[in-house]
Amino acid sequence: MSSEKKAVDHSHHLSDLARRHALSPLKGLQKYYGKDLIPFAGGLPSPEYFPFTSVSAQVPLADAFPLDPPRSATSPVSSSPFGWLWRLFGASKGDTTHVQIPREPRQGDGGLNLSKALQYGPVTGLQPTQAFVREFTQRIYAPAYDDWTTLAHAGNTDGWSRVAKLLLNPGDTLLVEEWTYPSALASARPIGARWKAVPMDGQGMRPDALREILAGWDVERDGPRPRVIYTVPVGQNPTGVTLGLERKKAIYDLCVQYDIIIAEDDPYYFLQVGEFVPKSLRKAERESAAGEDIARFIASLVPTYLRVDTQGRVIRLDTFSKTIAPGVRLGWFTCSPLFAERLERIGEVSTMSPCGLSQALVVALLSRWTFDGYVRWLRGLRTQYKLRRDFFVDCLMEEFDVVPTPASAVPGAWVAAGDQMTIVFSAYRRGSMDKEKPRPLLSFVPPSAGMFVWMELYFGDVPNQTDEDGSVVTPERQFFTRLADAGVLTAPGWFFLPETHKTDSLPSSAADHHIGHTRLSYTPSDAETTRRGVKIFAKTLREFCRV
Amino acid sequence: MSSEKKAVDHSHHLSDLARRHALSPLKGLQKYYGKDLIPFAGGLPSPEYFPFTSVSAQVPLADAFPLDPPRSATSPVSSSPFGWLWRLFGASKGDTTHVQIPREPRQGDGGLNLSKALQYGPVTGLQPTQAFVREFTQRIYAPAYDDWTTLAHAGNTDGWSRVAKLLLNPGDTLLVEEWTYPSALASARPIGARWKAVPMDGQGMRPDALREILAGWDVERDGPRPRVIYTVPVGQNPTGVTLGLERKKAIYDLCVQYDIIIAEDDPYYFLQVGEFVPKSLRKAERESAAGEDIARFIASLVPTYLRVDTQGRVIRLDTFSKTIAPGVRLGWFTCSPLFAERLERIGEVSTMSPCGLSQALVVALLSRWTFDGYVRWLRGLRTQYKLRRDFFVDCLMEEFDVVPTPASAVPGAWVAAGDQMTIVFSAYRRGSMDKEKPRPLLSFVPPSAGMFVWMELYFGDVPNQTDEDGSVVTPERQFFTRLADAGVLTAPGWFFLPETHKTDSLPSSAADHHIGHTRLSYTPSDAETTRRGVKIFAKTLREFCRV
């Protein structure tokens, strides 16, 4: 069709490495595959020797998790024995159904059989995987250009690693968020790429800061102009912040202006749990959830970069790790055909196809649930994560006196400058608010998506220490060790600071040695453990700060 | 222990890329994992949200395939209707048993549960995977030094791709066999590596030829000295030849002398089907197989490079693709601790852990079978591949008059010079032997391992053609297309020729334009299809050569 909106040619962005990937001669045979030829060419074992006659699974129903939270979740935690807490988060109805993948192909099985799934398979994914992923992307994300392509990968780490190889040359500078996922940098480092942090606030990466970096880029001084942004736009890791549509548009426009490719790593997209609502107001807000339909569900999610990408300059990474399970090692790219072809080449000499057994089990599950059922599952999951987020923040509010504060009034780093939108929760020692000049121990923004509560910690006059080898041990590191000794493992801020990767998390905007950061995940523990952990955290912090 | 034989330090072999890989700060938390701390650090979803309550499979018994072949297999194929042929290769007893992986951990489950398998897992493999792989490597391969290490990978393509990244710098020359697996080169090419083919004969890579290359290496002319050999030593791809222990020792000694690392890609190791025995002598030889025990089975296999590697300069790649199924995407490295640590780093920013679901199902199967049972499975599989190899060669011998010939008397390439050991089968048009100066149509060495029959094709005076774009189309290419048009897909020789990768397979030792090559796989088809394919192959070749 003449009206088709095609991706712009971005071939100049391909790295030297990506250009050197060639189609293996053996892969050249694929054009003959549909033709029912006698297959003397390939080194395929006979499916008769695959020692799985059938594979099956018991799976929950798509509506296993309620959209209305159990009433007890809104009760004060302290007035209840721990019994119900243990099962609170996992309060599924417990009914299961059976899915089975037979060995032999059958008419109408859509390619879902062990003879296919256990054989060498397409790098782009088994046929039923491809079909599901394409429909899901179309219906949920509705990309803004027409010739977008999807192909499978083995999880977003595999995905981002391939994108880094696709785009980055040695000496290139990757743009990342001010705080970022260290494993993303770990993929860029071996290539010989560098990175530059773009300041963020409580709404995510700041377009004004990005513009400043790009406008002020000096090739002589700074090296080749940046061509790639790596971003986790929803429930950002580690800060938990979510980039809204307006910011996405503003950043995308800058990317058009400065010809930059966006790698959108979005594992937490379906964990958009909404703004934190204080416990006393929570009930009414929740009951409306059960009435949502699919269209309203989609409308309730912040649009992805695919919605603003008219040129095919976004490579989106989706994963089943957070919505099904990490151990399935399955996800997919959505991008232009040009990038898809090279990502396939890069994949065929590394991961090859994602595990076929896993694809078969995931697709069998999704087929049983149907598209609508999977959306129902995602909604149930979202409700669970909302319960967890709320519970975690509730626990913090029990341990501290927490005061909502405008961001501008909070000391410290990324939530401060110019960010009038964000309400920061400042936390004080309980009962200390009555005193003169009460001192906050920490501040945080309750996340509206993802898995993490990110905190600024105010250590006051706790001094640096010196290690045996003479290196400085900041209060942040001291506190991390203290907490671990007390039984709680956290991820300290310096893990996530790209620019001073091996030093402590001293944000550039605060020359105050007594500020630290930490990322706390509210997802893996049961309620009782979470509560105990927050208690230990609060007690250890109070003692550490001698407050 | 002071008597421990440790791997020599090969850290000077690490590529620049491999050196740049760093331990992600998040991975630094792993040292705390055993300590039962409250896990606020990690971004792990709760196992309660994994939508698989149990996963199970019907699996065959370990002795599903007989060690004594069915009597009918020794009957003349032509005297029998096709009925039995359909099931001949897959003649398993059909009994199955059930394996199940429950969700919750239980005492004594060895870590085999879905809570573990569906979670993020170690790059080195789940605990039960690691345990099996280590025991198997120790008992079957018995490495010749003490501090060898195993770690999982996602199949040998992933494995070799990581080894290439581990060792090769841009501009390095990789040593490969004269004919080699093109996907192996596809992994080296993007790195910017080159390759040099080492001549081979019917026994595999020639040590004398390797010495000549290494002794004559001129750094000025040839670039940095080669530091890596990529080899498929058993049932080589594409030639099907197997490197014996003496050759391995000779090549290893050269690698010690010239400080070279060996990447041993050995997917066909357990498909060592023995020398081809003419049909009339076959019966007695086979019946002895049933009496073998594990020790005799191991003794019947050619020792791997691990047996001669006293210095830790071998990186061995094992895969379950040919012994379980390709779709499980699971295999393992055996190498020195130094290399293992870097391969783990490289893995954690690409594939991460192999698929957990797949690991769980494979380990559940192997646990059900036990170690002895798996060896029994491998023996049954070997018998099946032997039947297939024999059947394929029998089919060829029905279509042609086949004459065993000393290698030195055969025109052409790699089976010729100096190779007195190999008996080559020369194939003539049936009935043409009575004529004066009969002309062979092809020659081959029946493989003693693997999946492939590799042929030299003698096209006589068939001329080159010219393509629309003016490029030469050799008889080899013409014949490939003719065969495909006739319904048989083969892998033509030029696919596997590293030095002239995009031209035709004109072996350097023969300036005869009328020789071509092809690789035929005898594994994926049932007997009837195989027989039909060989008939078409023979008829098409006769017509093409106008014989």
Side-chain angles (χ1 to χ4, degrees), chain A residues 20 38 40-42 44 49 53-54 56 58 118 120 161 190 322 327 349 351-352 356 384 388 487 489 519 521 523, chain B residues 20 38 40-42 44 49 53-54 56 58 118 120 157 161 190 322 327 349 351 356 384 388 487 489 519 521 523:
Chain A
R20 281 195 297 262
I38 292 177
F40 286 172
L44 308 185
Y49 302 146
T53 312
S54 74
S56 54
Q58 284 299 125
L118 288 168
Y120 289 105
S161 134
K322 308 300 193 288
V349 294
T351 41
M352 291 184 76
Q384 291 291 308
R388 283 178 183 266
L489 192 60
R519 188 193 77 177
S521 165
T523 61
Chain B
R20 282 196 295 262
I38 293 176
F40 285 171
L44 308 185
Y49 303 146
T53 311
S54 73
S56 56
Q58 284 300 124
L118 287 169
Y120 289 104
T157 298
S161 134
K322 308 301 193 285
V349 294
T351 42
Q384 291 291 307
R388 284 178 182 265
L489 192 60
R519 188 193 76 175
S521 165
T523 59

Side-chain angles (χ1 to χ4, degrees), chain A residues 17 20-22 24-27 29 32-33 36-60 65 86-87 89-90 96 117-120 154 157-158 161 165 181-183 186-187 189-192 321-329 348-358 361-362 365 369 377 381 384-385 388 392 451-452 480-481 484 487-492 494-496 501 519-521 523-526 529-530 532-534 536-537, chain B residues 17 20-22 24-27 29 32-33 36-60 65 86-87 89-90 96 117-120 154 157-158 161 165 181-183 186-187 189-192 321-329 348-358 361-362 365 369 377 381 384-385 388 392 451-452 480-481 484 487-492 494-496 501-502 519-521 523-525 529-530 532-534 536-537:
Chain A
L17 181 142
R20 281 195 297 262
H21 277 271
S24 162
L26 287 172
K27 300 298 186 312
L29 292 176
Y32 292 99
Y33 281 0
D36 199 27
L37 303 179
I38 292 177
F40 286 172
L44 308 185
S46 168
E48 296 184 85
Y49 302 146
F50 301 159
F52 295 98
T53 312
S54 74
V55 171
S56 54
Q58 284 299 125
V59 301
F65 292 107
W86 281 97
R87 298 301 306 167
F89 299 141
T96 62
L118 288 168
Q119 192 54 277
Y120 289 105
T157 298
D158 172 45
S161 134
K165 291 186 182 83
Y181 180 45
S183 291
S187 286
R189 185 185 293 111
I191 296 170
S321 288
K322 308 300 193 288
T323 58
I324 303 283
V328 302
R329 301 281 78 216
E348 74 193 9
V349 294
S350 56
T351 41
M352 291 184 76
S353 56
C355 173
L357 264 182
S358 174
L361 279 163
V362 169
L365 171 72
W369 280 347
W377 172 260
L381 212 56
Q384 291 291 308
Y385 276 85
R388 283 178 183 266
F392 196 91
M451 298 181 154
F452 307 114
F480 167 76
T481 308
V488 175
L489 192 60
T490 55
W494 67 269
F495 279 14
F496 307 98
H501 207 262
R519 188 193 77 177
L520 303 185
S521 165
T523 61
S525 308
D526 59 71
T529 306
T530 300
R532 190 157 47 87
V534 172
I536 294 170
F537 174 85
Chain B
L17 181 143
R20 282 196 295 262
H21 277 271
S24 161
L26 287 172
K27 301 297 187 311
L29 291 177
Y32 292 99
Y33 281 1
D36 198 28
L37 303 179
I38 293 176
F40 285 171
L44 308 185
S46 167
E48 295 183 85
Y49 303 146
F50 300 159
F52 296 99
T53 311
S54 73
V55 171
S56 56
Q58 284 300 124
V59 301
F65 292 106
W86 281 98
R87 297 304 305 167
F89 299 143
T96 61
L118 287 169
Q119 193 52 278
Y120 289 104
T157 298
D158 172 45
S161 134
K165 292 187 183 83
Y181 180 45
S183 292
S187 287
R189 184 185 295 111
I191 296 170
S321 288
K322 308 301 193 285
T323 58
I324 303 283
V328 300
R329 301 281 78 216
E348 73 193 10
V349 294
S350 55
T351 42
M352 290 186 74
S353 55
C355 172
L357 265 182
S358 176
L361 278 163
V362 168
L365 172 71
W369 280 348
W377 171 260
L381 211 55
Q384 291 291 307
Y385 276 86
R388 284 178 182 265
F392 196 92
M451 298 182 154
F452 306 115
F480 166 77
T481 308
V488 175
L489 192 60
T490 55
W494 68 270
F495 279 13
F496 306 98
H501 205 260
K502 293 196 167 176
R519 188 193 76 175
L520 303 184
S521 165
T523 59
S525 309
T529 307
T530 299
R532 190 157 46 86
V534 172
I536 294 170
F537 175 84

Side-chain angles (χ1 to χ4, degrees), chain A residues 75 139 147 174 364 444 459:
Chain A
S75 307
R139 291 183 63 178
D147 59 341
L174 173 69
F444 64 98
F459 295 121

Side-chain angles (χ1 to χ4, degrees), chain A residues 99-144:
Chain A
V99 296
Q100 183 164 13
I101 302 141
R103 177 165 171 155
E104 305 299 335
R106 287 166 311 167
Q107 196 101 37
D109 71 0
L112 190 57
N113 58 72
L114 292 178
S115 294
K116 283 272 188 213
L118 288 168
Q119 192 54 277
Y120 289 105
V123 173
T124 49
L126 293 173
Q127 189 276 325
T129 308
Q130 290 190 44
F132 176 84
V133 152
R134 183 155 185 93
E135 182 189 358
F136 189 84
T137 302
Q138 176 63 69
R139 291 183 63 178
I140 303 288
Y141 304 135

Side-chain angles (χ1 to χ4, degrees), chain B residues 233-276:
Chain B
V234 174
Q236 201 259 356
N237 191 352
T239 65
V241 302
T242 293
L243 201 66
L245 180 59
E246 290 311 310
R247 285 245 174 141
K248 280 178 176 155
K249 281 182 180 163
I251 290 171
Y252 187 82
D253 287 347
L254 285 168
C255 289
V256 171
Q257 185 182 344
Y258 288 96
D259 193 15
I260 289 170
I261 303 298
I262 299 173
E264 180 180 39
D265 181 4
D266 213 353
Y268 312 111
Y269 186 74
F270 293 102
L271 310 183
Q272 297 184 44
V273 295
E275 294 306 312
F276 178 77

